[in-house]
Amino acid sequence: VAVANNLLAAYVDTSMLHKNPHRLNPFSIRLRRVVDVNDCALRHTVVGCGGRLNGLPRETGFDIVAASEVMAILGLSKSYADMRERLGRILVGRSIDRTDVTAGDMKAAGAMAVVLKEAIKPTLMQTTEGTGVLIHTGPFANIAHGNSSILADEIALRLADYVITEAGFGADMGAEKFFNIKCRVSGRTPDAAVVVATCRALKMHGSDLSVKPGQPLDPRLLEENVEWIEQGMPNLQKMIQIVKRHGIPAVVAVNRFATDTDREVDCILKGAIEAGAAGAAVSEVHARGGEGGLALARAVKEAAAQPSAFKPLYRLELPIRDKIEVLAREIYGAARVKFYDEAIKKMNAFTERGYQELPI
């Protein structure tokens, strides 16, 4: 993925160096190089230094590979031909005549597809108990759609009676984009959704405690406190509501840790059912393997057998502004949305360029 992305970036800079046949405006180039290391010194850089043969100097930067459009494309591609077409539509920048310039215009998409000819194949792995697992793609959910690949799902659906696919970053991000982006592209619809909760997460939501990456957990998170869990339950209730808003049943999995008490776990299970979950069960697969997931598996099986009426949150033909307002209201609970002038200008530009019917 990194090589394919950076190959396109090299095409862009080389094209501008050699008489710029596409009349690219260097200030409009949105494509950035990627590296699979979180190297903050590369986030904002200047390329093209070192004389005429090394390109035209301009400001750019590096993203992490999972944040690249190529990674998102790999996750949404339904076939090799589909991937090739999607790569060709990558927007590189705009010409000085204010027309879009794509990877297809640069004649780079074919070479990128060749680089990705093996990467498009999902990796088959297995759990410690021998259950098949397909690992494929990792687009970030905060800037892309945050889901494993359509191709991995299609393979799994031909091999098993039940397929669990990941939609990362919570129901308000990964699941919402699974429903409104991935399901639209794949043509597949889910029978149920599993919302994962933990005692310590709900305690954090119900208190003034915070969790910082790389820092030890506050010891109070590991002590019994049913009151904090009750105060944090609105977060889980909202996640259940988001799933149900898309017309499918939600099952809550309480991912149990050794420090969790029965009273805390029971509080979550009871609260989940009261919030409208079709089922709720404890998951102890980390500690006990498959046996620790039997109750959850039964709950998911029962929920998947229930009648459902899956529906996306918004129609694609709605104006961009309307779709954003639907998301803000239904997913994030906003009363209204204030659009700054810059945002309105961008929405108008996207509409004029024919992008208004894309999902958000």
Side-chain angles (χ1 to χ4, degrees):
V1 172
V3 171
N5 182 96
N6 295 342
L7 177 64
L8 177 56
Y11 265 69
V12 171
D13 284 304
T14 303
S15 177
M16 286 198 301
L17 179 64
H18 294 290
K19 299 182 180 180
N20 196 8
H22 302 286
R23 297 165 63 81
L24 262 173
N25 178 352
F27 297 106
S28 76
I29 295 172
R30 64 188 301 276
L31 180 78
R32 290 158 61 91
R33 287 169 170 80
V34 296
V35 62
D36 213 10
V37 176
N38 187 16
D39 190 345
C40 58
L42 292 177
R43 289 175 185 169
H44 302 283
T45 62
V46 176
V47 296
C49 301
R52 187 180 64 82
L53 296 179
N54 293 308
L56 300 175
R58 66 179 180 89
E59 291 187 15
T60 182
F62 283 75
D63 293 321
I64 200 161
V65 176
S68 67
E69 187 173 357
V70 177
M71 180 66 85
I73 285 172
L74 198 64
L76 288 175
S77 296
K78 293 180 286 186
S79 65
Y80 189 83
D82 183 41
M83 180 183 72
R84 167 64 179 81
E85 184 179 335
R86 291 176 179 276
L87 290 170
R89 295 201 300 264
I90 292 176
L91 182 64
V92 170
R94 305 199 81 192
S95 72
I96 57 175
D97 303 321
R98 299 181 63 79
T99 58
D100 290 345
V101 179
T102 65
D105 296 328
M106 305 290 299
K107 301 293 191 290
M112 295 170 70
V114 171
V115 170
L116 293 167
K117 67 183 178 66
E118 297 299 322
I120 196 173
K121 302 173 184 177
T123 300
L124 177 63
M125 304 181 75
Q126 61 180 341
T127 68
T128 54
E129 295 181 346
T131 304
V133 180
L134 288 159
I135 306 293
H136 200 213
T137 75
F140 280 171
N142 53 341
I143 52 90
H145 63 289
N147 280 252
S148 55
S149 76
I150 288 174
L151 279 174
D153 290 354
E154 289 295 328
I155 292 170
L157 286 164
R158 286 161 170 75
L159 299 173
D161 297 321
Y162 291 86
V163 175
I164 309 295
T165 187
E166 183 193 13
F169 277 44
D172 56 341
M173 207 177 283
E176 181 272 308
K177 292 179 177 180
F178 172 84
F179 296 140
N180 295 298
I181 299 177
K182 185 178 175 183
C183 286
R184 276 193 165 105
V185 175
S186 70
R188 297 285 188 177
T189 58
D191 295 303
V194 178
V195 178
V196 180
T198 65
C199 291
R200 60 181 63 176
L202 290 174
K203 280 191 236 179
M204 188 188 74
H205 286 301
S207 67
D208 60 355
L209 303 182
S210 61
V211 175
K212 296 180 180 178
Q215 299 294 318
L217 287 174
D218 189 307
R220 289 174 293 174
L221 279 176
L222 309 180
E223 299 170 358
E224 182 178 85
N225 195 315
V226 176
E227 182 182 355
W228 280 354
I229 289 179
E230 290 174 341
Q231 292 171 178
M233 279 300 290
N235 183 280
L236 178 59
Q237 292 163 1
K238 181 63 178 179
M239 300 298 132
I240 296 169
Q241 177 189 330
I242 290 169
V243 172
K244 292 182 65 180
R245 176 66 180 78
H246 290 87
I248 61 170
V251 175
V252 171
V254 182
N255 195 17
R256 185 163 192 168
F257 288 73
T259 54
D260 300 340
T261 69
D262 289 342
R263 290 181 65 231
E264 290 176 328
V265 171
D266 290 343
C267 177
I268 300 175
L269 294 173
K270 181 173 179 288
I273 298 300
E274 290 175 351
V282 175
S283 173
E284 295 181 289
V285 292
H286 186 271
R288 299 171 54 215
E291 185 183 352
L294 288 176
L296 175 60
R298 283 191 288 268
V300 172
K301 185 177 179 180
E302 290 171 7
Q306 293 181 11
S308 61
F310 172 76
K311 54 184 179 298
L313 195 63
Y314 51 81
R315 303 192 317 275
L316 289 180
E317 60 269 21
L318 287 176
I320 295 172
R321 181 173 186 144
D322 291 0
K323 286 184 279 197
I324 291 174
E325 288 178 338
V326 169
L327 281 172
R329 285 196 312 271
E330 300 290 338
I331 303 299
Y332 296 103
R336 65 185 183 89
V337 182
K338 178 181 178 180
F339 291 91
Y340 288 94
D341 289 343
E342 183 182 359
I344 293 171
K345 192 182 298 182
K346 285 186 177 180
M347 287 190 293
N348 290 339
F350 292 151
T351 300
E352 290 169 7
R353 290 151 70 181
Y355 299 144
Q356 73 275 8
E357 291 196 4
L358 290 174
I360 302 299

